Amino acid sequence: MIDAHVHLEKGDYSVEWINKFVGYAVKRNIDEVYFLEHTHIFKECRNLYNEMSVYNEYQKNWYQKKWGQARPLKDYIDYIQNDIAQMKQMYSFDFLVGSIHFIDRWAFSHRKQRWNKNDYDMDELYERYYALMLSLINSRLFSGVAHP
């Protein structure tokens, strides 16, 4: 079995932190673990969130909190290229995963975001979501997609 969606963001970049995930996987007979991160945790990716962070008060507050915890992407790259690379003998990403969490700046996938289904045409939202998903896939920028 493979767990292809594991985030390191709630801990420090260390072998000890990785080993907690490995131990969990071993106990559950998981053969492979793929580590990946959301771009909102990296300072260099701030411009990706400019539009969505001003869409409404909820999203503004959500992103301000995330920005307050943002780290330099270099820290992650250094960790991958040193500690993880030593374990895997590789110096590049194994994969990139794309996902859609926003439809035209609206953070539709946030459970805490308050919204009224009567304010949205669900058919239009799904149509837009799948159009965005198709664009993401056709971009060929990613090895796979998450949260389809």
Side-chain angles (χ1 to χ4, degrees):
M1 182 174 3
I2 297 172
D3 186 343
H5 197 135
V6 177
H7 301 289
L8 298 173
E9 66 189 70
K10 296 195 182 205
D12 58 344
Y13 297 136
S14 68
V15 172
E16 294 78 22
W17 184 235
I18 294 275
N19 283 337
K20 289 184 181 195
F21 292 96
V22 171
Y24 183 88
V26 168
K27 286 179 188 175
R28 285 156 186 82
N29 294 319
I30 297 172
D31 301 309
E32 293 182 41
V33 176
Y34 295 7
F35 296 104
L36 60 144
E37 297 298 344
H38 291 108
T39 53
H40 66 252
I41 73 163
F42 300 121
K43 292 182 183 229
E44 293 82 355
C45 296
R46 185 174 191 165
N47 65 327
L48 298 175
Y49 295 87
N50 288 342
E51 289 184 31
M52 70 70 55
S53 65
V54 297
Y55 184 75
N56 62 32
E57 197 65 25
Y58 168 82
Q59 289 176 201
K60 177 182 174 185
N61 292 335
W62 175 84
Y63 188 67
Q64 282 180 345
K65 181 180 176 187
K66 295 295 182 184
W67 176 247
Q69 300 167 350
R71 308 173 185 191
L73 179 59
K74 184 178 181 333
D75 291 354
Y76 184 68
I77 299 299
D78 287 348
Y79 184 63
I80 290 170
Q81 290 182 335
N82 293 302
D83 298 335
I84 292 175
Q86 288 173 4
M87 290 188 284
K88 293 196 57 123
Q89 299 298 314
M90 291 185 68
Y91 290 93
S92 63
F93 292 113
D94 293 327
F95 60 93
L96 288 172
V97 175
S99 62
I100 297 172
H101 292 279
F102 307 97
I103 296 176
D104 301 324
R105 302 180 316 209
W106 176 48
F108 73 92
S109 68
H110 287 226
R111 285 180 234 154
K112 294 181 182 178
Q113 168 118 264
R114 295 174 191 223
W115 64 284
N116 184 337
K117 66 181 179 179
N118 296 325
D119 294 339
Y120 297 92
D121 181 323
M122 297 307 282
D123 290 334
E124 285 181 20
L125 282 175
Y126 274 100
E127 194 171 304
R128 181 70 177 130
Y129 174 80
Y130 287 113
L132 290 168
M133 183 63 78
L134 187 58
S135 293
L136 180 99
I137 293 166
N138 288 336
S139 75
R140 300 197 177 277
L141 292 171
F142 304 98
S143 311
V145 296
H147 313 298

